[in-house]
Amino acid sequence: MAFVRTAGALGAAVSLPSVRTYSSVISALPGLLGWYTAHPIYAETSGGKVKKWNSRIPGLPAFVETASGGGPVLTPNAAGSRYGMAFTSADATQMTWGGTFPLPKHTKVVIADIATPPATRYLLGSAQGGTDGRHNFRTDPTIVAVQIDAAPEGALISRPAVYNEPALYVAAWNGDSDEASLVVNANAVTSVMAGAEVTKTDVYLGGANGLPSASNTPNMTVFDVLIFDRDLVTEGSTAGALARIAEYAATVYGAAT
């Protein structure tokens, strides 16, 4: 499967023998730093909220509630019979990743059903505003966007939004080639941002800083989150990994990849 460096299709997904193979296939993908699936066996709850979301691969870092009592609600039958993590703007739901964010390359993958936001909200973020070194993955009323660094080196790239249904969202950065990439289902784009850098190592799910607020969090149900220490979009040796994730999103959650 090949990716173009301008807007284009994701390409044909890689067929897998059965749904049962996904756990072993995705767990073995190179560079995987954490895989988080909404399910009771991975969720530690308190007062009806998820305070800790453990990786389905033992020994890898967890997502934890950023503020006490501010985690998502584990919801059954969120996509067919599948569970989801419900984040709400009103509750300022936010979680913080406990791992060491990879530099200079990374890929962040989220499979989620996001409600159309009334203004900018953050799917996965590191720093709000015009902050140097940021790597924000954001949702706007009509677009999904990736923000890398701050101007003049940094920039924003976007794709038309897919909301109110399960979808695959991918943000990648390659510090060796200064390339930022964004995938929304099968719609991919890559842009060169000469001189831009990613230096922020915090990762917030449902926010762009460690201060939860209604203006940060989108209303969304998150099914899976995956974090990699490499660029799965532009590097040919890892492109097949993204195809397998797309197949998983389509087969398990019905994402139109």
Side-chain angles (χ1 to χ4, degrees), residues 12-70:
V14 175
S15 295
L16 298 175
S18 71
V19 173
R20 290 175 296 178
T21 68
Y22 287 117
S23 181
S24 59
V25 169
I26 293 179
S27 295
L29 294 178
L32 181 62
L33 299 180
W35 178 14
Y36 309 88
T37 297
H39 193 280
I41 64 175
Y42 307 119
E44 298 181 26
T45 61
S46 177
K49 299 290 187 68
V50 177
K51 65 178 182 179
K52 187 176 183 180
W53 190 3
N54 294 305
S55 176
R56 61 187 294 165
I57 304 173
L60 295 183
F63 274 97
V64 298
E65 57 186 4
T66 302
S68 179

Side-chain angles (χ1 to χ4, degrees), residues 113-168:
D113 184 340
I114 304 173
T116 303
T120 299
R121 299 286 188 267
Y122 293 93
L123 181 55
L124 274 172
S126 66
Q128 203 166 5
T131 306
D132 282 330
R134 65 185 172 177
H135 55 91
N136 290 339
F137 199 175
R138 79 183 214 191
T139 62
D140 286 39
T142 60
I143 62 170
V144 175
V146 171
Q147 293 175 309
I148 296 294
D149 208 346
E153 301 89 359
L156 179 147
I157 60 173
S158 67
R159 292 286 83 203
V162 175
Y163 294 140
N164 306 302
E165 63 185 70
L168 173 67

Side-chain angles (χ1 to χ4, degrees), residues 8-245:
L10 188 63
V14 175
S15 295
L16 298 175
S18 71
V19 173
R20 290 175 296 178
T21 68
Y22 287 117
S23 181
S24 59
V25 169
I26 293 179
S27 295
L29 294 178
L32 181 62
L33 299 180
W35 178 14
Y36 309 88
T37 297
H39 193 280
I41 64 175
Y42 307 119
E44 298 181 26
T45 61
S46 177
K49 299 290 187 68
V50 177
K51 65 178 182 179
K52 187 176 183 180
W53 190 3
N54 294 305
S55 176
R56 61 187 294 165
I57 304 173
L60 295 183
F63 274 97
V64 298
E65 57 186 4
T66 302
S68 179
V73 175
L74 183 63
T75 306
N77 304 315
S81 62
R82 305 289 174 175
Y83 283 88
M85 294 284 187
F87 287 67
T88 61
S89 176
D91 290 340
T93 313
Q94 188 184 101
M95 303 197 87
T96 302
W97 190 52
T100 300
F101 192 68
L103 301 174
K105 301 176 183 180
H106 71 259
T107 300
K108 299 176 289 191
V109 178
V110 181
I111 304 171
D113 184 340
I114 304 173
T116 303
T120 299
R121 299 286 188 267
Y122 293 93
L123 181 55
L124 274 172
S126 66
Q128 203 166 5
T131 306
D132 282 330
R134 65 185 172 177
H135 55 91
N136 290 339
F137 199 175
R138 79 183 214 191
T139 62
D140 286 39
T142 60
I143 62 170
V144 175
V146 171
Q147 293 175 309
I148 296 294
D149 208 346
E153 301 89 359
L156 179 147
I157 60 173
S158 67
R159 292 286 83 203
V162 175
Y163 294 140
N164 306 302
E165 63 185 70
L168 173 67
Y169 305 94
V170 181
W173 170 248
N174 189 328
D176 291 345
S177 57
D178 291 348
E179 290 178 299
S181 299
L182 170 64
V183 179
V184 178
N185 281 347
N187 196 339
V189 65
T190 293
S191 177
V192 175
M193 300 181 186
E197 291 184 306
V198 169
T199 59
K200 299 297 182 184
T201 56
D202 295 328
V203 182
Y204 305 104
L205 180 60
N209 56 43
L211 302 173
S213 71
S215 61
N216 262 340
T217 307
N219 292 316
M220 62 181 179
T221 300
V222 178
F223 305 111
D224 283 79
V225 178
L226 300 96
I227 298 176
F228 292 84
D229 68 359
R230 59 201 62 197
D231 177 359
L232 299 186
V233 179
T234 65
E235 295 182 326
S237 62
T238 57
L242 192 53
R244 285 167 169 78
I245 295 168

